[in-house]
């Protein structure tokens, strides 16, 4: 009976956390889908050809607007690099598209407080700046040439078909006219469902892992592991050990937020939990993908520079937010284990689940299922805009006539 109770307790935490963040995920992916439906990937590549500060700022903005799971972001970064974007700009895009996106910030605020969201959006640019400086100082031309040769081999990693797809609206016109056209509705629905398909596995793993760890691992273990009894030592140790925990957790993207809640309540420092969240791009499976994409030497270079940048960002937010008195009490973080109640979360979930249902129906009715099968395809898949354009005819011709959903 005690085993059954422990399992049910873990599942209740998982279910309650899932219910709490559902509307935020739908909102974030819907907004991201609108942006991706309007901005063509060819435009992104054209603007990211060097590593000047303005270019890196654009890469950060494009990344933040095009939410992705970590695997898709890594695949898309290589695609941008192969098509002409600078390596530094591609990495800035990769970092922003997994750590500086809307749904990420909303979920962090819901579970851990607005201060964590602000720290995430502060530390992200710090990390990108550190990466840019380290690349400028340490990235040798020979290593970069080797990485480009390896990238051009097109070895498959994960989510390659998704990265190769360009589902933006091809018809001319203003942003508003394109977005609210039948083609726009179709494009948004396709991007929305593809993004969900990309993150769902890691999200489920992260939620179940967080529920199990919260229910079964005592706080005393984490407090000892993170040296919570010694404030100064904990602040030094946290940003160093946070990324290491992430590497061995095998959970990336939004899936590591539930784990971050558990670690934060367990005693990891403020800077440590931020460094842990950033480290979704150096988990063990993604390090192996870097090896396939760019070669072993570049994979090690990315591990070292990314780790240093994540730790530096953690220390930066620890100092700044600590100095301003903005570090929240870990006890205020929400690790929900209650059932559904009639509060604002339920009403928001109802509204956004209806929106999600409408987009899924449009996706299915306009050939989206066939495209979903292409998500794990070759990195050299032809530009998906042609296939997408043909599918939009199922829901409406480019002139806006034809059948409607």
């Amino acid at each position: 009976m005690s085993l059954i109770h422990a399992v049910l307790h873990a599942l209740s935490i998982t279910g309650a956390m899932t219910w709490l963040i559902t509307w935020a995920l739908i909102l974030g992916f819907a907004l991201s889908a609108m942006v991706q439906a309007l901005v063509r990937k060819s435009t992104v590549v054209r603007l990211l050809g060097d590593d000047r500060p303005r270019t890196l700022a654009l890469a950060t903005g494009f990344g933040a607007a095009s939410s992705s799971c970590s695997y898709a972001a890594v695949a898309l970064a290589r695609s941008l690099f192969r098509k002409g974007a600078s390596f530094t700009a591609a990495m800035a895009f990769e970092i922003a598209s997994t750590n500086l996106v809307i749904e990420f910030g909303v979920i962090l605020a819901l579970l851990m407080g607005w201060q964590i969201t602000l720290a995430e959006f502060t530390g992200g640019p710090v990390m990108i700046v550190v990466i840019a400086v380290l690349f400028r100082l340490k990235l040798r031309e020979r290593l970069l040439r080797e990485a480009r040769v390896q990238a051009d081999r097109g070895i498959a990693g994960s989510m390659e078909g998704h990265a190769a797809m360009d589902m933006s609206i091809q018809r001319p016109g203003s942003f508003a006219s394109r977005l609210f056209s039948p083609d726009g509705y179709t494009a948004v629905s396709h991007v929305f469902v593809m993004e969900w398909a990309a993150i769902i596995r890691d999200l489920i793993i992260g939620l179940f892992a967080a529920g199990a760890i919260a229910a079964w691992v005592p706080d005393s273990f984490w407090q000892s592991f993170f040296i919570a009894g010694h404030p100064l030592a904990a602040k030094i140790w946290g940003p160093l050990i946070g990324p290491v925990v992430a590497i061995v957790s095998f959970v990336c993207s939004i899936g590591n937020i539930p784990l971050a809640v558990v670690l934060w309540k367990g005693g990891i420092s403020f800077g440590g939990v931020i460094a842990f969240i950033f480290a979704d791009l150096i988990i063990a499976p993604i390090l192996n993908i870097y090896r396939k994409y760019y070669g072993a030497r570049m994979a090690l270079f990315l591990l070292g520079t990314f780790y240093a940048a994540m730790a530096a960002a953690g220390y930066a937010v620890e100092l700044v937010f600590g100095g301003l008195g903005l570090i929240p009490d870990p006890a205020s973080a929400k690790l929900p284990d209650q059932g559904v109640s009639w509060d604002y979360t339920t009403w928001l979930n109802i509204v956004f689940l209806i929106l999600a249902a409408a987009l899924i129906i449009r996706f299915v009715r306009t050939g989206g299922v066939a495209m979903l099968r292409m998500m794990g395809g070759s990195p050299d898949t032809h530009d998906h805009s042609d296939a997408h354009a043909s599918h939009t005819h199922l829901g409406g011709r480019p002139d806006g006539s034809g059948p409607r959903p």
Side-chain angles (χ1 to χ4, degrees), residues 5 33 60 95 111 237 281 336 398 405:
H5 180 269
T60 301
I95 293 167
L111 296 178
W237 178 240
L281 290 173

Side-chain angles (χ1 to χ4, degrees), residues 34-81:
M34 292 179 188
V35 173
Q36 293 184 63
L38 293 171
V39 181
R40 298 173 184 174
K41 287 182 180 176
S42 59
T43 302
V44 177
V45 172
R46 179 170 53 82
L47 295 173
L48 304 186
D50 55 58
D51 60 356
R52 293 179 300 172
R54 179 179 180 276
T55 303
L56 296 183
L58 285 173
T60 301
F62 282 131
S66 49
S67 168
S68 292
C69 81
S70 300
Y71 293 104
V74 170
L76 181 53
R78 181 181 66 165
S79 176
L80 295 175
F81 178 52

Side-chain angles (χ1 to χ4, degrees), residues 326-400:
L326 292 177
I327 297 179
D329 183 353
S332 63
K334 295 181 181 179
L335 195 61
D337 58 1
Q338 304 299 317
V340 176
S341 58
W342 286 102
D343 54 13
Y344 78 95
T345 298
T346 299
W347 289 111
L348 286 171
N349 279 341
I350 290 172
V351 171
F352 283 100
L353 283 170
I354 292 172
L355 171 63
L359 291 172
I360 292 171
I361 291 171
R362 179 69 173 189
F363 173 84
V364 172
R365 294 185 63 180
T366 54
V369 175
M371 285 192 292
L372 191 59
R373 299 191 185 103
M374 298 168 60
M375 283 187 63
S378 167
D380 294 315
T381 300
H382 67 278
D383 188 345
H384 190 68
S385 59
D386 295 337
H388 171 66
S390 68
H391 284 302
T392 60
H393 291 290
L394 297 175
R397 291 188 289 272
D399 62 1

Side-chain angles (χ1 to χ4, degrees), residues 100-340:
L100 297 177
V101 293
I102 295 171
E103 66 273 16
F104 215 81
V106 174
I107 293 171
L108 284 173
L110 287 174
L111 296 178
M112 304 175 72
W114 63 267
Q115 298 95 329
I116 296 285
T117 298
L118 183 59
E120 178 78 6
F121 287 175
T122 301
V126 170
M127 180 179 168
I128 291 171
V129 169
V130 173
I131 287 289
V133 171
L134 290 176
F135 280 19
R136 181 66 66 90
L137 295 175
K138 299 297 184 181
L139 181 54
R140 300 292 180 256
E141 186 62 31
R142 178 181 175 184
L143 180 57
L144 188 58
R145 285 198 304 269
E146 291 175 0
R148 186 175 294 281
V149 169
Q150 181 69 13
D152 286 338
R153 293 177 63 191
I155 297 176
S158 181
M159 305 304 297
E160 299 290 357
H162 182 50
M165 296 175 183
D166 185 351
M167 292 177 282
S168 59
I169 306 163
Q170 303 300 308
R171 64 185 294 167
S174 66
F175 277 10
S177 66
R178 292 164 61 206
L179 181 61
F180 293 106
S181 67
D183 287 357
Y185 186 14
T186 298
V188 170
S189 72
H190 286 191
V191 178
F192 177 82
V193 176
M194 293 293 184
E195 293 293 341
W196 268 100
I199 65 101
I200 193 67
R201 178 188 64 181
D202 283 297
L203 180 61
I204 291 173
I205 292 173
L207 286 166
F208 275 100
I213 293 171
W216 302 339
V217 179
D219 288 344
S220 58
F221 169 81
W222 294 119
Q223 290 168 0
S224 175
F225 185 72
F226 294 128
I227 323 179
H230 302 274
L232 179 58
K235 291 176 182 178
I236 296 173
W237 178 240
L240 296 177
I241 195 61
V244 176
V245 175
I247 290 172
V248 300
S249 73
F250 281 68
V251 179
C252 65
S253 190
I254 291 175
N256 73 353
I257 296 181
L259 287 175
V261 179
V262 175
L263 299 182
W264 176 232
K265 291 182 73 69
I268 193 172
S269 69
F270 187 71
V273 76
I274 295 299
F276 169 83
I277 293 170
F278 285 144
D280 61 324
L281 290 173
I282 56 171
I283 63 172
I286 286 182
L287 290 175
N288 187 48
I289 292 174
Y290 288 145
R291 180 187 62 80
K292 293 179 181 179
Y293 282 0
Y294 308 117
R297 292 181 65 220
M298 181 59 86
L300 289 174
F301 180 81
L302 290 176
L303 171 61
T305 52
F306 274 35
Y307 178 85
M310 292 161 185
Y315 287 127
V317 298
E318 182 81 54
L319 288 172
V320 172
F321 281 66
L324 296 175
L326 292 177
I327 297 179
D329 183 353
S332 63
K334 295 181 181 179
L335 195 61
D337 58 1
Q338 304 299 317
V340 176

